[in-house]
Amino acid sequence: MDAEKTGAMIRALRMEQGLTQAALAERLHVTDKAVSKWERGQGCPDLPMLPALADVFQVSVESILAGELRGSERNGGNMKRIRFYSCPVCGNVMTATGEAEIACCGRRLEAMPMRPCDEAHTLRLEEMDGETYVSLAHEMSKAHHIRFIAQVGFDRVTLVRLYPEQDAETRLPRMGHGRLYIGCSRDGLYWQNF
């Protein structure tokens, strides 16, 4: 941790939120002299203090340690850049349309690598009752199953969670064209254009 960089970032974030050193100190249960010391680069917050500081500023602990916020270039929420993240502990599935720092269950998550559908993960699509019926012949055991199917268009994502006790099928809103993503519990993430 670079004390000067971290201190400058703490000062900038404090001012961004319109807080005085005393107000920040009160929230963190420290003295305003401690906050002043951090901001001048004369010392750093103790490690147990970092999660509280991150919470006050709504940034990651890693950003505080690095002394900088790593923003991504604005991409207008371009759905072509969508990335999927899956927690290995709880199974939570999250998406981002650009660079993101995502964590769940105390673990930092990396974007799932994706590849085009292979023979075992190719979806069948049928139009019925104004919707698209999506299915695939895939094992649905606890050890190996399809965890989700997601439909991504130019302006929206529809993600359906699937569980081992059901079939690998769902109905999705009809959409002109886009991409479907299949999250397999064992083999990873696949995509297929429609």
Side-chain angles (χ1 to χ4, degrees):
M1 178 182 332
D2 181 324
E4 288 185 15
K5 282 177 71 174
T6 297
M9 188 176 98
I10 290 170
R11 182 177 190 277
L13 291 170
R14 176 183 61 77
M15 294 180 72
E16 186 179 284
Q17 291 193 4
L19 296 172
T20 63
Q21 287 182 343
L24 177 59
E26 185 177 323
R27 283 191 185 183
L28 298 173
H29 307 290
V30 298
T31 66
D32 58 342
K33 288 182 169 88
V35 173
S36 175
K37 185 176 171 182
W38 302 338
E39 289 184 359
R40 289 181 287 120
Q42 303 299 310
C44 291
D46 293 333
L47 288 178
M49 177 67 55
L50 294 178
L53 199 54
D55 189 49
V56 167
F57 294 132
Q58 296 297 296
V59 298
S60 68
V61 170
E62 291 84 7
S63 294
I64 294 171
L65 289 170
E68 64 184 5
L69 296 174
R70 294 185 189 107
S72 59
E73 291 182 23
R74 295 197 182 271
N75 60 28
N78 189 334
M79 297 302 244
K80 291 179 181 178
R81 296 182 181 167
I82 195 164
R83 298 292 175 257
F84 290 81
Y85 301 81
S86 179
C87 179
V89 177
C90 70
N92 198 6
V93 177
M94 294 152 278
T95 63
T97 57
E99 293 297 319
E101 287 185 23
I102 299 194
C104 189
C105 296
R107 291 172 169 80
R108 185 182 209 179
L109 303 180
E110 296 294 325
M112 297 171 69
M114 56 180 87
R115 56 187 174 257
C117 284
D118 59 16
E119 191 175 315
H121 296 93
T122 298
L123 293 166
R124 290 186 304 273
L125 309 175
E126 292 178 52
E127 300 299 322
M128 61 173 54
D129 300 327
E131 295 180 312
T132 304
Y133 173 71
V134 179
S135 64
L136 71 154
H138 192 281
E139 178 180 344
M140 289 297 282
S141 68
K142 287 191 185 241
H144 185 202
H145 61 278
I146 299 300
R147 296 183 58 226
F148 67 88
I149 296 174
Q151 177 186 45
V152 179
F154 77 95
D155 65 347
R156 71 191 67 191
V157 175
T158 304
L159 189 140
V160 178
R161 290 291 305 258
L162 300 176
Y163 299 92
E165 55 273 1
Q166 68 186 109
D167 292 329
E169 62 185 14
T170 190
R171 287 177 172 235
L172 296 168
R174 184 177 284 173
M175 195 180 286
H177 64 279
R179 187 173 274 187
L180 292 165
Y181 293 88
I182 305 102
C184 178
S185 66
R186 186 183 73 192
D187 302 323
L189 184 65
Y190 294 88
W191 60 267
Q192 174 179 324
N193 290 327
F194 66 91

